Amino acid sequence: MSRRRSPLPGGPDSAAEQLLTLGHLAGEALERVKLQRARVELAAALQRYLLPPELPDRLSGFRVAARYTPARGGLDVGGDWYDAFPLRDGSVAMAIGDVQGHDVEAVAFMGQVRTGLRAIAHTTTDPGEVLEGTNDLLLSMGCGLFATCTFVRFDPRTGELAAARAGHVPIVWATATGRCGVALDDGGLPLGIQCAEQYPVSRRRLTEPCVFVLLTDGVVEGPSCPLERGLEEVMRLVSAGVGTGVDDLAAQVVQVADLTGHSDDAAVLVACYDGLAKGSPQ
């Protein structure tokens, strides 16, 4: 007499059900990957659109270059940005900033900050007033985010440089005669925090060839490098780079971020000044 065998767990029917379940899970995972990829591409495209497509290149005795590297987490985008544009009086405005966050909202807010700065810079030549006006504008819009920023106005014809900071990393500079340093001038709070904030303006007159660098903290600060050490490394590169190509120097400076172990995005704006031409007003 033969004995009937009872079905074993995990037989054909059970295996088919498991494959069907795995198929559903794989499909859902694929949809999530596609959605995440679409979000990354959207944010990256928005960021590219909001950064300046080109920088001033027709100013006698003055050259400028910039570099940007994305964050290594989140949506791989962030709020770091830079800008440089000529003003009506013949001077040039330069700005760099860092917006809170690493997502589409941060990128959109970055565009608002940059647009506000540009608009106000065409109504006043004072960097402190530019930051004050932008700060009040952002607060009136109720954005709920904040941004650090440095704004510089430079006149290559006279060598006059005026700068103001809103909670941002200081400017690094070096001259052709070997002098170098970090401009630890007083500044105000980041933009978007407090109404009627004041932003002190530092003023200098440059007469010899020099380089000054605007950057974000993603370049000089990270888990393996404190801010002071990162600034010293940038100062070393800038001192050795006076008189070299501005594009090469910008590329070297942004690579300091690789030494800091940072996961933040990073931006660098380098300006090289050839000094006062003969016959320029003193």
Side-chain angles (χ1 to χ4, degrees):
M1 182 177 177
S2 61
R3 301 175 59 185
R4 294 184 61 186
R5 296 182 179 179
S6 58
L8 295 176
D13 292 340
S14 177
E17 292 175 356
Q18 291 177 4
L19 288 174
L20 185 61
T21 300
L22 288 175
H24 283 307
L25 292 174
E28 292 175 357
L30 180 60
E31 289 301 316
R32 287 195 295 270
V33 169
K34 289 180 178 179
L35 178 60
Q36 177 70 359
R37 182 179 301 169
R39 292 177 63 200
V40 171
E41 291 176 352
L42 172 62
L46 178 61
Q47 188 173 48
R48 286 193 302 270
Y49 176 77
L50 292 175
L51 289 175
E54 59 184 21
L55 298 173
D57 60 355
R58 297 182 181 180
L59 298 174
S60 177
F62 181 78
R63 293 159 288 140
V64 62
R67 290 292 186 277
Y68 172 84
T69 58
R72 300 177 183 177
L75 286 179
D76 289 328
V77 295
D80 284 18
W81 56 276
Y82 59 85
D83 202 359
F85 50 95
L87 297 173
R88 295 173 183 172
D89 63 356
S91 61
V92 60
M94 290 168 286
I96 197 161
D98 185 356
V99 169
Q100 167 196 9
H102 297 90
D103 51 26
V104 176
E105 185 179 10
V107 177
F109 184 63
M110 175 262 285
Q112 293 174 321
V113 177
R114 177 172 169 252
T115 301
L117 280 169
R118 275 207 175 214
I120 296 172
H122 285 292
T123 66
T124 175
T125 59
D126 183 271
E129 293 179 359
V130 172
L131 293 184
E132 291 166 19
T134 305
N135 179 59
D136 292 342
L137 174 63
L138 295 175
L139 286 169
S140 70
M141 295 170 62
C143 299
L145 296 176
F146 65 86
T148 66
C149 179
T150 293
F151 186 87
V152 173
R153 175 187 173 274
F154 181 65
D155 191 338
R157 301 163 303 179
T158 64
E160 294 177 349
L161 183 147
R165 290 195 297 147
H168 199 71
V169 180
I171 297 173
V172 180
W173 58 272
T175 70
T177 56
R179 295 187 300 121
C180 60
V182 177
L184 298 174
D185 302 304
D186 292 336
L189 292 174
L191 305 174
I193 291 182
Q194 179 172 296
C195 290
E197 177 69 3
Q198 300 293 304
Y199 297 95
V201 179
S202 62
R203 303 181 188 277
R204 295 174 174 83
R205 188 175 179 85
L206 310 180
T207 59
E208 61 179 312
C210 63
V211 174
F212 49 97
V213 179
L214 286 65
L215 40 76
T216 60
D217 59 1
V219 179
V220 290
E221 187 175 28
S224 59
C225 181
L227 177 63
E228 292 77 10
R229 181 182 169 190
L231 288 172
E232 289 177 358
E233 178 63 20
V234 171
M235 188 167 56
R236 183 189 67 80
L237 289 173
V238 174
S239 299
V242 177
T244 63
V246 64
D247 289 298
D248 291 340
L249 184 55
Q252 293 175 28
V253 171
V254 81
Q255 288 176 2
V256 173
D258 296 334
L259 306 177
T260 66
H262 85 113
S263 58
D264 198 1
D265 51 340
V268 168
L269 185 64
V270 177
C272 293
Y273 175 53
D274 296 336
L276 288 175
K278 292 182 179 180
S280 297
Q282 298 295 314

